[in-house]
Amino acid sequence: MKKIICIGECSLNVVLGADGKPLGSMVGGRVINAAVLLAAKGFEVLVASESGTDPVGDIVTDFIKSSGTDVRSLDRFTEGTTTLNVFTPDKDGAYVVTRYENYPEECFDIIWPRIDEGDIVLFGGFYSIDGRVHSRLMRLLEYAAERKAVLVYLPGFAALREPRITRVMPAILENLELADMVVTRNEDLRLIFGVEDGRGCYEDHINLYCSSIVHLNEAAHRIDYYSGTEISSCDIVSASCSSMMWNAGVLAGIVASLAEQNLTADSLDAVSDTIRAKILAAAAGSAAFVAGSFSQHWQTMA
C-alpha cells in the first residue's frame, strides 16, 4: 500500500469557557488530525513537521504516535516551544484565538521521508506559506513531484499571522502549481481570492494551475468535485463535533479513497464520473464517522 506523507503545523488548542476555566484541549490542525485518522484506519502514514521538546510538544507528539503514525520526520527542536492556540469567547460567544508561538531560527529541519511513485503528500494551511518554512518545504515538494507522488494541497490563510494576503500570494500560487488536487473551503476562498463560489473560483483562479478541486461547502452541507468542465456533488452531514475535526474527517476520506483506488498524478488530470463519486462518498462517509462515533473523543483531549 502507498505511503501517506502529511505536512502541517503541530500545535495544541486550548479552549476556555466564559469563566476563564479550561473546557478542554486538542491537537490543532486539519492535516495532523487527518494523519491520525488515516493511521487509525490502517494506512501507512508519516508526519513531516516540527514540535518542541517541551511538555506541550510531548502531548502533541504522543497523540500523533498513539495512532501508529510514523514520526521519524517530526523534528523535536530544543530552542523554542511548541505553538499554543488559546480560544476564548467574546461577549457574543464567538471564539477569539490568541496564539503563542516561539519557533527557533532553524526551521523545518526535518529528515526527509522516502517518497515513492504513487505516494500521497498532503500539505497546506498557513504552515505551507509561512515565510520561515516555505523555501525548505518547496524543495521537499519539488522532490515529491519528481518522484511522481500525488500532491494534495489545502490552501489556507490566517490574517492573525499575516494581515496582507499579497505578501503570501506568491507562495500560494507556487503550491497550486505543484498540486495534483486542491481541497478548499468557503472561508479559504473568501480570504485568499475574495469569493466563496467554488465553481467560479475554480474557473477563474485554480484551474489555471490545477484541474482537480474538491470544494467543501460547509454552509450548504455539500461537497463538489470540479474536474475540467465536469462537476460531481454529494450531500454531507453537518458537523456535530469540532469543525476542525469534521474537516479532518473529510480530508481523511478523500486521501483514503485516492490511496485505495491507486490514483496517480496523471490520472487526476482526467477523472471519470465513477471515480469522482467514489471520492465524494468516501469523504462524506468519513465526515459522518468523525461527527458521530468520535465526536466526544476528539473534542476533549487533555
Side-chain angles (χ1 to χ4, degrees), residues 52 61 63-64 68 88 90 153 158 160 201 247 258 295 300:
T61 303
F63 175 71
I64 296 171
T88 53
D90 62 17
Y153 174 45
L160 175 69
C201 188
N247 276 274
L258 294 177
S295 175
T300 57

Side-chain angles (χ1 to χ4, degrees), residues 69-102:
T69 301
D70 190 331
V71 295
R72 282 177 291 182
S73 293
L74 178 63
D75 177 41
R76 300 297 306 276
F77 55 80
T78 56
E79 297 181 8
T81 55
T82 306
T83 296
L84 187 68
N85 300 304
V86 180
F87 293 72
T88 53
D90 62 17
K91 62 180 181 180
D92 298 319
Y95 279 101
V96 177
V97 183
T98 305
R99 180 180 172 86
Y100 298 91
E101 175 187 306
N102 182 23

Side-chain angles (χ1 to χ4, degrees), residues 112-301:
W112 278 23
R114 176 184 173 88
I115 300 177
D116 299 302
E117 183 174 352
D119 286 349
I120 299 171
V121 178
L122 176 66
F123 72 104
F126 192 87
Y127 191 72
S128 68
I129 57 174
D130 190 334
R132 66 179 201 89
V133 172
H134 183 69
S135 61
R136 291 193 175 195
L137 173 60
M138 281 298 293
R139 291 196 289 271
L140 176 57
L141 295 178
E142 288 168 351
Y143 166 71
E146 290 174 0
R147 299 287 293 170
K148 297 185 178 180
V150 178
L151 274 62
V152 180
Y153 174 45
L154 320 175
F157 175 71
L160 175 69
R161 301 172 64 182
E162 172 52 71
R164 295 178 60 183
I165 184 67
T166 53
R167 291 178 177 171
V168 293
M169 185 58 80
I172 292 174
L173 297 181
E174 285 182 330
N175 290 345
L176 286 172
E177 283 187 318
L178 283 173
D180 301 300
M181 173 181 280
V182 179
V183 182
T184 60
R185 302 173 299 182
N186 289 352
E187 184 71 359
D188 301 322
L189 300 185
R190 183 183 68 80
L191 291 173
I192 297 172
F193 300 108
V195 299
E196 292 189 12
D197 173 51
R199 182 157 199 165
C201 188
Y202 171 70
E203 294 174 349
D204 295 339
H205 300 285
I206 296 177
N207 192 33
L208 299 172
Y209 303 95
C210 179
S211 62
S212 190
I213 172 177
V214 178
H215 179 63
L216 175 56
N217 188 331
E218 294 174 288
H221 309 311
R222 192 182 73 243
I223 310 177
D224 299 316
Y225 192 143
Y226 302 100
S227 178
T229 59
E230 302 298 322
I231 177 174
S232 299
S233 298
C234 175
D235 292 332
I236 190 169
V237 297
S238 60
S240 60
C241 62
S242 78
S243 178
M244 183 187 69
M245 279 311 306
W246 189 64
N247 276 274
V250 171
L251 289 175
I254 292 170
V255 174
S257 185
L258 294 177
E260 290 168 347
Q261 297 185 75
N262 289 316
L263 294 174
T264 65
D266 291 337
S267 64
L268 283 173
D269 287 337
V271 184
S272 68
D273 292 343
T274 301
I275 290 176
R276 285 198 304 273
K278 287 182 178 179
I279 292 173
L280 292 178
S286 181
F289 174 72
V290 169
S293 302
F294 276 68
S295 175
Q296 186 63 29
H297 174 75
W298 294 114
Q299 287 190 81
T300 57
M301 178 208 151

